[in-house]
Amino acid sequence: MKTRTVSNTVLLILLFLGLGPLLLLFIEALWHGGETFGQLLHSSSMHVSFQHTLLLSLGVAAAGTIAGTAVGILIGKTDLPLRKLFFALLILPLLLPPYLLALGWINSIGPSPFLHTMLFGFVGTFWVLFSVYLAIPILLTLLYLRQIDPGYEEAAAFFTNERGILLGILLPLLRPAMGLSFLLVFMLSFGEYSVANTLRYTIFPLEIFTRFSAFYDFDAAVVMSLPLLLLPIMAVAVEKQWLDRTLYRQSAYYAPRTLLLSSFQKSIFVALLTLLAATTAILPLLGLIVQIDAWQNFSDALALGASPLLHSIVFALCSALLFGGIGFLCGYVLVFRRVWLAPLLDTALLLLLLLPPTVVGIALIAFWNVPFLDMVYATPLLLVMGVVLKYLYLPTKIIQKRLQHLSSSLFEAAELLGAGPGALLRFIIVPLTLKALALAFVIGYLFSLRDSTISMLLYPPGFETLPVYILTHSANGAAGVIASLCVILIAATLLPLMIMLPLWLKRKTA
Amino acid sequence: MRSHTFFLLTLSVLLASSAAAKSAGSVTVYVSEDQVFSEPLLKRFEKTTGITVRALYDTEESKSTGVMNRLLAEQRHPRADVYWANEPVRAEVLRTKGLLAPYRSPSAEGIDPEFVDPQYHWTGFSARYRLFIVYTKAKSTPQSMLDYTQKTYAHKGVIANPLFGTTTAHIAALFSVLGNQKGEAFLSALKANGTAISTSNGESADFVASGMHDFALVDSDDAMSRMQRGASVKIVYPDQGKEGIGLFVVPNTVMLIKGAPHPANGKKLIDFLLSAESEKALAHAACAQIPLHDGVEAPAHLKPIGALKIMPVDYAEVARRLLQIQPYLSRWVFE
């Protein structure tokens, strides 16, 4: 009873911080702009842009999930040559703010009118978003493949060949990973407008952005976001219906099995992955890097960007710690504490991920900009809070899924020995969730570091972050220096991985 | 130990920023002028006066979302002292929404009243011309805005999205000179003639520099920076003939925010930015902006303002016209 009260209180605080500002903003906008809502509902341009957005995000989610799962299986389950290289290349686009990849493509294709027609519009926007978010299904597939009990494959091997194991065992067991990938990529693509803005494809979040930036009409912009409230509710229902029921348990009596490919299959798959890596990562990144025409560009970039880089790293590390901590708390409550606020939390986190960053940013400004809250508003705390609230859904989901995989027999045994909830948490749940916590930390760091949209609205004067600095310098800044700053941003994104790698290698050797 | 170091570092960043926010020797300025040009000038102010400048930059490339939206959202409890906008329409929007405090700077003496709000809510300085950047290998060279609609230039021109930036102000100015009916006819003909729409003036300039399009209407700093990079382009001052409507001039504007936390330091910064020395610095920087003070030397590769035929506009009327035509512009862009 006591733990339920604590859980509900924690959830109430989180919901107050996340939903409170949005609720106030929506009420105020409806109060002033109720009529606008009716007009917007009947506006044909709104219908068209909403259809564009749905088509784009569904397309990116479907293509990304299919391709990402296939690549994940090839990398994580087969003896394909150059697996690690392909993995590194295909993950790279996720490390950059998406609009930079679009700029890289513009530089890569040069003045060709035909390629411009292809790039500017649906095709280009689709491909850039696909390139950026392909990493998510790949990572989730790799993560879920590690959870599959190799005993299933060993048993199946008595009756079928490797194709049969793939189709009959692995793919059905990877359904939760595919479902989660689809959901995450759909949500992230839906809220992302910087690529569509660069490549001039009309989408719904861009219409909202235009209301803010061209018309300075806050009420209309906020009211326009109202239809988006339906999507997280639908997504949570879908998740509850299909994704929560297809769980499986882990055990490890057998070593993981590798699917062996023939020489012909290896050649085909290497060629396909080379093509994929070239068109999603190598070409657009080369488009940025070739602009670095002298080492002087790098030293200039380091001198100019040192302070924004430091801000970015410190803020991203703070956000990542909060992502780990709060993500664990939310995941724990969602899995183990069936409190009445839990479904609302799930929906609220999805809503924050889905809403255009401008709406979330304006809501936080309006809510926190009061004289006695200077400690929050006039410091980087607001930026950290904004980024954490915006992306908290991602670490929460990672930790929630890991917690769902924990065997109930562990808890039953511990409870028989007299362990209370505190002991269960300390000696069973936290140790078994460490990898997921580390992943949540890395994901949190990554999304905080590369964010430019919400940071643009919330960074305190004098504390700009590196992506914001790159954006504000991209207008008339030296192209070589901008490209160098992008490379520095990629290096900074890899920082936690570089720190973790020696520890992981040390542990592996031991 | 490591976690302690990290905690202390984080705490010191937060405390430093909190302390900076309360410091009396500081000024907070929100800036829409490109950071690459505005930052050196603000650093010079900091060095000269000892007043710490806490700047928040934005850019036309991001549609000034950060700065303008923040100024509007902070209306009830302003955080900025000064706003340095890269054009006058945003200044007028803020004035009409009651966000600005009047301030008549002594440094504004000598600036043409055409570039100053009559109630001194904002003051213009260091302007840019709206001109054509033309690919040197192009077969024909446009001479007028209306050439966008001529068959000779079908599928050859590019213009930035008129919902954002200085193109918005330019189109609104054109509508106020031609009238709404002729303005709409012009934009329809421009679109029908296959003119491409880019996301920003910078992108338009890049398209011309790469030879993808023959010409574009851009700001003079966009054209100058491409010329300085060695691109094969030239500049053309449009509508300079006897019948021409003249060239549109876009001054930077600077304004004091009503309820600013540090109004005295804000006024010092405004005086500094409006000074002839600051105009000279911006004229000789890569942006090559045109001084509005008499007697300040113009940039080397641009004609001085007195030598050109200028479009006669009232910036307050341009802002009003903009609000009036925005729904049309939105339909024109998206449909």
Side-chain angles (χ1 to χ4, degrees), chain A residues 87 136 139-140 142-144 147 180 320 323-324 394-399 402 433-447 496-497 500:
Chain A
F87 174 72
I136 291 174
L139 284 169
L140 282 173
L142 291 174
L143 189 75
Y144 274 64
Q147 310 287 334
L180 188 59
F323 272 123
L394 303 174
T396 299
K397 247 340 89 169
I398 290 166
I399 293 167
R402 175 66 190 125
T433 324
L434 276 181
K435 276 185 189 168
L437 274 169
L439 186 61
F441 179 88
V442 172
I443 295 281
Y445 177 83
L446 169 66
F447 274 83
L497 298 177
M500 281 182 184

Side-chain angles (χ1 to χ4, degrees), chain A residues 13-354:
Chain A
I13 294 170
L14 269 175
L15 289 170
F16 171 74
L17 290 176
L19 283 190
L22 283 173
L23 207 62
L24 286 178
L25 192 72
F26 279 120
I27 290 170
E28 197 176 327
L30 275 174
W31 189 261
H32 296 125
E35 287 174 17
T36 320
F37 187 55
Q39 288 166 7
L40 291 171
L41 275 182
H42 296 100
S43 155
S44 61
S45 68
M46 293 298 130
H47 295 170
V48 170
S49 65
F50 203 83
Q51 282 166 13
H52 282 187
T53 316
L54 268 182
L55 186 71
L56 183 71
S57 19
L58 285 172
V60 171
T65 303
I66 293 166
T69 307
V71 173
I73 292 171
L74 281 171
I75 291 173
K77 207 65 194 168
T78 69
D79 59 342
L80 189 79
L82 306 171
R83 293 187 302 276
K84 286 177 183 166
L85 176 67
F86 286 128
F87 174 72
L89 285 172
L90 293 169
I91 293 295
L92 262 183
L94 187 67
L95 308 184
L96 274 173
Y99 76 91
L100 285 180
L101 212 63
L103 290 182
W105 267 114
I106 294 173
N107 292 333
S108 293
I109 64 169
S112 157
F114 170 72
L115 290 176
H116 265 258
T117 314
M118 292 284 286
L119 183 65
F120 288 90
F122 176 81
V123 175
T125 311
F126 169 86
W127 192 253
V128 172
L129 290 178
F130 170 81
S131 309
V132 170
Y133 295 126
L134 179 66
I136 291 174
I138 294 177
L139 284 169
L140 282 173
T141 305
L142 291 174
L143 189 75
Y144 274 64
L145 277 173
R146 292 173 65 92
Q147 310 287 334
I148 293 175
D149 183 350
Y152 294 140
E153 295 168 72
E154 292 300 331
F158 287 112
F159 304 100
T160 183
N161 57 15
E162 303 215 313
R163 188 167 174 269
I165 294 173
L166 177 68
L167 297 176
I169 303 290
L170 290 179
L171 282 180
L173 288 175
L174 280 174
R175 267 191 312 207
M178 291 162 79
L180 188 59
S181 297
F182 185 89
L183 192 68
L184 287 178
V185 176
F186 174 77
M187 292 292 165
L188 288 166
S189 314
F190 201 98
E192 162 58 50
Y193 64 80
S194 67
V195 174
N197 185 36
T198 309
L199 299 178
R200 295 194 297 280
Y201 185 60
T202 310
I203 57 167
F204 193 67
L206 195 56
E207 292 262 13
I208 296 174
F209 173 75
T210 305
R211 290 276 158 180
F212 272 120
S213 309
F215 292 62
Y216 307 118
D217 188 348
F218 280 22
D219 293 333
V222 173
V223 161
M224 275 174 75
S225 315
L226 279 173
L228 300 181
L229 293 175
L230 292 175
L231 283 167
I233 296 168
M234 283 160 59
V236 168
V238 166
E239 194 196 359
K240 288 275 172 291
Q241 187 69 28
W242 285 291
L243 300 185
D244 275 3
R245 291 184 181 182
T246 47
L247 295 175
Y248 45 90
R249 302 290 179 211
Q250 180 190 14
S251 64
Y253 297 110
Y254 299 94
R257 187 184 172 85
T258 301
L259 299 177
L260 301 175
L261 301 174
S262 67
S263 302
F264 177 71
Q265 285 172 326
K266 281 179 186 170
S267 312
I268 292 287
F269 287 132
V270 165
L272 282 175
L273 287 192
T274 306
L275 185 68
L276 189 66
T279 51
T280 57
I282 298 170
L283 272 174
L285 290 176
L286 274 180
L288 286 174
I289 291 167
V290 291
Q291 304 210 18
I292 307 172
D293 46 15
W295 282 110
Q296 183 65 32
N297 291 154
F298 251 114
S299 55
D300 289 350
L302 275 173
L304 287 167
S307 176
L309 177 65
L310 179 69
H311 298 152
S312 280
I313 291 175
V314 172
F315 301 158
L317 287 173
C318 290
S319 308
L321 283 175
L322 288 171
F323 272 123
I326 303 174
F328 179 81
L329 198 71
C330 293
Y332 177 78
V333 169
L334 287 171
V335 174
F336 295 111
R337 301 278 158 227
R338 295 288 175 192
V339 289
W340 62 275
L341 279 171
L344 187 59
L345 176 75
D346 225 6
T347 315
L349 294 182
L350 255 180
L351 179 68
L352 286 162
L353 182 70
L354 188 85

Side-chain angles (χ1 to χ4, degrees), chain A residues 449-465:
Chain A
L449 197 80
R450 72 202 267 283
D451 178 82
S452 63
T453 48
I454 202 153
S455 310
M456 184 59 114
L457 272 171
L458 298 180
Y459 82 88
F463 285 87
E464 63 198 328
T465 60

